[in-house]
Amino acid sequence: MAKPELVIFDCDGVLVDSERIAVRLNIEMLAEYGYQATEADIVDHFVGKSLPTIQEKIAEWLGRPVPEWPDLWMPRMTAAHDAELTAVDGIAEALDRIDLPVCVASSGRLEKTRHSLKLTGLSHHFGDRLFSSTMVERGKPFPDLFLHAARTLGVDPAGCVVVEDSEPGVRAARSAGMRCFAYAGGVTSGEKLAGTGTVVFDDMRRLPELLAG
């Protein structure tokens, strides 16, 4: 494997251990609207997806649109992160050992990503090299966000690798023509992440050696 020119990290579930919090909050909020979602429902339909895509699924489940969802979701998510958010186990050590250019490309809004990285002490690894699905027409599983990050940083897609933890993210990496390292230590199983051009692993401390080939 050629040495990567750029490592593109997803944020939620890869850098910060936020997916479990999000799953819980989504179940709680949907219950307030009278819909009983399971953890599997949220993982299958929300994890790795952009907010507009999530709102479409909520409207399908409830039988009506819920335009107020983002305004209700953001303060609750922020409060939960302020109280509970930690870095993914082993990622701080891994980032300290990775001597390649890195960036973040997340389905979340930029302000959310910045806040998460600041809370967990990871901001200094990425600086302003942060990208959001709000910057492109189509979010994951489409490749637009990863291609936008690569183009902005002047790297050919073939020279990029993506670190992801969700099915939509892995699919987006493959569609972008980028190799993918899929982290199965979160809420999505390794079986769902496996596929062509993808290395599945479950310990972030292994990432530097995986990137080194």
Side-chain angles (χ1 to χ4, degrees):
M1 184 179 80
K3 184 176 181 179
E5 298 174 50
L6 175 66
V7 185
I8 303 175
F9 287 87
D10 178 41
C11 183
D12 293 299
V14 169
L15 299 174
V16 300
D17 196 10
S18 56
E19 295 292 16
R20 293 179 179 86
I21 298 173
V23 168
R24 186 189 77 230
L25 289 180
N26 276 301
I27 290 173
E28 290 174 0
M29 286 181 62
L30 283 164
E32 292 167 11
Y33 281 85
Y35 187 86
Q36 300 300 318
T38 66
E39 289 189 11
D41 290 333
I42 303 303
V43 171
D44 288 344
H45 296 290
F46 288 16
V47 172
K49 303 287 183 65
S50 66
L51 185 56
T53 301
I54 290 170
Q55 284 183 270
E56 289 178 7
K57 179 55 68 174
I58 291 169
E60 178 186 323
W61 284 343
L62 299 182
R64 64 178 179 86
V66 186
E68 71 272 20
W69 189 271
D71 292 332
L72 296 173
W73 166 259
M74 291 302 293
R76 290 174 69 158
M77 179 274 299
T78 300
H81 281 195
D82 288 346
E84 305 174 44
L85 191 66
T86 61
V88 165
D89 184 41
I91 191 62
E93 299 95 312
L95 288 169
D96 284 340
R97 293 169 52 207
I98 293 170
D99 60 352
L100 299 165
V102 297
C103 72
V104 179
S106 171
S107 294
R109 299 176 181 179
L110 276 182
E111 57 267 30
K112 174 176 174 289
T113 298
R114 289 194 186 99
H115 188 64
S116 296
L117 295 176
K118 182 179 179 180
L119 281 175
T120 53
L122 301 177
S123 299
H124 65 285
H125 291 287
F126 301 100
D128 61 357
R129 299 181 304 279
L130 308 177
F131 302 91
S132 165
S133 63
T134 59
M135 298 175 173
V136 295
E137 183 176 350
R138 304 176 300 176
K140 305 170 188 178
F142 296 99
D144 304 30
L145 178 56
F146 293 147
L147 293 174
H148 172 66
R151 183 168 54 250
T152 301
L153 297 176
V155 180
D156 188 272
C160 300
V161 297
V162 172
V163 185
E164 263 288 354
D165 73 314
S166 71
E167 287 185 89
V170 169
R171 288 167 56 196
R174 292 173 187 149
S175 296
M178 301 176 181
R179 290 169 289 171
C180 186
F181 293 88
Y183 178 62
V187 299
T188 303
S189 69
E191 291 79 6
K192 290 185 176 181
L193 299 173
T196 304
T198 304
V199 174
V200 178
F201 70 108
D202 60 8
D203 184 348
M204 277 297 180
R205 295 173 185 84
R206 291 186 55 215
L207 184 58
E209 65 191 62
L210 291 173
L211 292 171

